[in-house]
Amino acid sequence: MAVCPVYTTQSLNSTCSISTPSKTHFSSHHNHLVFYRTSKRTSKRGGSSSCVITCSAGDSQTVVIGLAADSGCGKSTFMRRLTSVFGGAAEPPKGGNPDSNTLISDMTTVICLDDYHSLDRTGRKEKGVTALDPRANDFDLMYEQVKALKSGIAVDKPIYNHVSGLLDPPELIKPPKILVIEGLHPMFDERVRDLLDFSIYLDISNEVKFAWKIQRDMAERGHSLESIKASIEARKPDFDAFIDPQKQYADAVIEVLPTQLIPDDNEGKVLRVRLIMKEGVEHFSPVYLFDEGSTISWIPCGRKLTCSYPGIKFSYGPDTYFGHEVSVLEMDGQFDRLDELIYVESHLSNLSTKFYGEVTQQMLKHADFPGSNNGTGLFQTIVGLKIRDLYEQITASKTAAPLQATKA
């Protein structure tokens, strides 16, 4: 039967509207009368709120992916790699707010969770809280709207303007095939966490984060070393309290660490990257090197892979992570020639590629992206392919369910 969930969506006007998805189907056996009523609630954003009632027959459900990381840790690059796997360029909504944080492609919609800030920049300063603090975010609205989109229901999503620091009027977001929610808190609220079909955490070590910030802020923005240190230290308590603990819930963690190939390295240019994959996740099989479940150490440098100093080292094996059984694939070092990545790819299994060499093709396609010569780009690409496979499995299982019910 057709189900009509009711959701309230905050807006800056006071009207109530009823919207029906264009593909809602009703037939003679759907003889059900549904009563519903609207109600207003106080807006945490200082304006009036409106009610939106929508009905969805539930014939297609959006797959929801969560990506958590601190600011400046590569979320945007990862999103570009992920949307590329599904095809089509990710762009802001056409004709909408030029400062929108949303990116839309053929199959994906990427929502920045900064849009659920309940306090603007001035409000946070007045209350003495950072954007990392849960008190500066509206998790009730986040949950309601992600749940609605997952159920195939459009929402009027708020916009946080990173330029002005203000809360802009909302934008209409229609349910995509794949919804990616990225930001500081996708796994913080248990209700939102339970809506995720797959979750990723980008875990950048303090040493690497500091090196990256120095390179960016000193070279590009003229900041002093002292001001950079002060900025990092000011965020650290809230990061440790509210952001970092989310990695225990992630299905996959990309951990970026200083290299072990160069003694006492502090430049952060050569990286050791670990892909930590949780076992037992539905529709997800961890990638492995050579032999699944074994402990492997591999230095591929030689006749088939060009390696300048300090070389490249791969490792793989089982481990535990916050009490969960995991498989860990690690790369230390960087590639000299991306076209030679095919040699490494040929020794990896469970990649969920459509054809031989697809990982290498994706890496070459985005050779100018940050991290394309090391494990960050490689593992982001692999996770993107695994998410595509997960989406296809979920879609296939939903298609098969009605057929099995009909046969029964």
Side-chain angles (χ1 to χ4, degrees):
M1 85 179 195
V3 180
C4 293
V6 178
Y7 299 92
T8 59
T9 306
Q10 291 180 351
S11 179
L12 296 186
N13 57 59
S14 58
T15 61
C16 293
S17 63
I18 301 176
S19 62
T20 305
S22 60
K23 292 186 179 180
T24 300
H25 303 288
F26 297 92
S27 59
S28 58
H29 64 279
H30 289 143
N31 296 320
H32 303 278
L33 183 62
V34 180
F35 294 91
Y36 46 79
R37 64 183 180 182
T38 66
S39 62
K40 291 185 179 181
R41 65 174 182 166
T42 303
S43 170
K44 294 183 180 180
R45 295 172 178 269
S48 59
S49 63
S50 71
C51 309
V52 176
I53 302 179
T54 55
C55 295
S56 171
D59 31 332
S60 63
Q61 189 180 60
T62 295
V63 172
V64 184
I65 309 298
L67 174 66
D70 197 5
S71 62
C73 288
K75 294 189 297 293
S76 297
T77 300
F78 187 23
M79 288 300 95
R80 290 159 69 194
R81 291 188 191 277
L82 175 61
T83 54
S84 174
V85 166
F86 288 97
E91 299 176 344
K94 293 181 180 179
N97 188 330
D99 294 320
S100 171
N101 303 306
T102 303
L103 293 173
I104 299 175
S105 67
D106 295 345
M107 292 182 64
T108 64
T109 293
V110 179
I111 287 179
C112 175
L113 295 184
D114 288 357
D115 288 336
Y116 293 100
H117 287 340
S118 55
L119 299 173
D120 61 17
R121 193 174 295 157
T122 301
R124 295 196 300 272
K125 187 175 181 180
E126 289 174 350
K127 291 185 178 295
V129 298
T130 70
L132 289 74
D133 193 312
R135 292 174 295 175
N137 297 272
D138 189 343
F139 288 101
D140 289 339
L141 182 60
M142 184 191 300
Y143 165 68
E144 290 170 4
Q145 295 202 339
V146 173
K147 182 180 180 181
L149 289 167
K150 187 178 178 74
S151 301
I153 301 166
V155 301
D156 283 323
K157 181 189 63 60
I159 299 174
Y160 176 75
N161 192 315
H162 286 95
V163 178
S164 65
L166 299 175
L167 304 170
D168 285 355
E171 61 186 352
L172 177 67
I173 301 295
K174 298 178 181 179
K177 293 181 178 178
I178 300 165
L179 174 68
V180 182
I181 58 170
E182 62 90 3
L184 298 169
H185 303 97
M187 291 172 268
F188 180 83
D189 187 288
E190 184 179 3
R191 299 168 301 169
V192 178
R193 191 165 67 238
D194 288 344
L195 295 173
L196 302 178
D197 294 291
F198 194 79
S199 55
I200 311 105
Y201 186 91
L202 302 183
D203 188 12
I204 315 301
S205 71
N206 290 332
E207 300 92 332
V208 173
K209 194 184 298 184
F210 184 61
W212 284 358
K213 197 165 180 65
I214 287 177
Q215 291 170 23
R216 183 189 69 180
D217 290 358
M218 289 187 72
E220 300 176 14
R221 303 179 181 178
H223 294 182
S224 68
L225 183 62
E226 290 72 21
S227 67
I228 294 171
K229 287 181 178 179
S231 173
I232 292 175
E233 289 303 314
R235 289 174 62 88
K236 195 173 186 308
D238 280 356
F239 173 79
D240 291 344
F242 308 122
I243 311 305
D244 194 56
Q246 293 177 77
K247 63 189 179 187
Q248 65 186 297
Y249 304 115
D251 299 313
V253 176
I254 298 178
E255 187 177 49
V256 184
L257 303 158
T259 181
Q260 292 182 335
L261 301 176
I262 304 173
D264 301 319
D265 176 69
N266 57 8
E267 292 186 2
K269 293 181 179 179
V270 179
L271 302 172
R272 179 168 66 100
V273 187
R274 305 173 78 226
L275 175 56
I276 304 168
M277 300 162 283
K278 190 179 291 183
E279 297 282 353
V281 177
E282 189 174 12
H283 306 304
F284 175 75
S285 300
V287 177
Y288 64 89
L289 177 65
F290 291 117
D291 182 46
E292 187 173 13
S294 297
T295 300
I296 307 290
S297 180
W298 180 43
I299 299 176
C301 301
R303 295 177 180 177
K304 296 183 179 180
L305 192 69
T306 305
C307 296
S308 58
Y309 179 80
I312 297 176
K313 182 180 179 180
F314 280 86
S315 61
Y316 161 80
D319 205 343
T320 57
Y321 187 77
F322 289 98
H324 298 287
E325 295 295 321
V326 297
S327 290
V328 181
L329 178 63
E330 178 180 309
M331 175 185 167
D332 196 349
Q334 56 191 28
F335 300 109
D336 286 350
R337 294 181 52 182
L338 272 183
D339 59 322
E340 295 178 345
L341 175 59
I342 189 71
Y343 174 61
V344 173
E345 181 179 350
S346 66
H347 291 82
L348 295 171
S349 299
N350 272 355
L351 287 172
S352 300
T353 52
K354 297 288 189 183
F355 54 86
Y356 178 74
E358 188 178 11
V359 171
T360 302
Q361 182 193 75
Q362 284 289 328
M363 291 284 285
L364 287 168
K365 182 180 178 181
H366 303 299
D368 59 331
F369 284 13
S372 290
N373 67 338
N374 61 45
T376 58
L378 175 61
F379 294 158
Q380 286 177 5
T381 299
I382 290 173
V383 171
L385 294 172
K386 298 299 291 184
I387 289 173
R388 181 184 66 186
D389 181 61
L390 176 134
Y391 165 76
E392 291 174 350
Q393 289 188 57
I394 292 175
T395 302
S397 65
K398 290 175 182 174
T399 304
L403 294 175
Q404 293 173 353
T406 301
K407 291 178 182 179

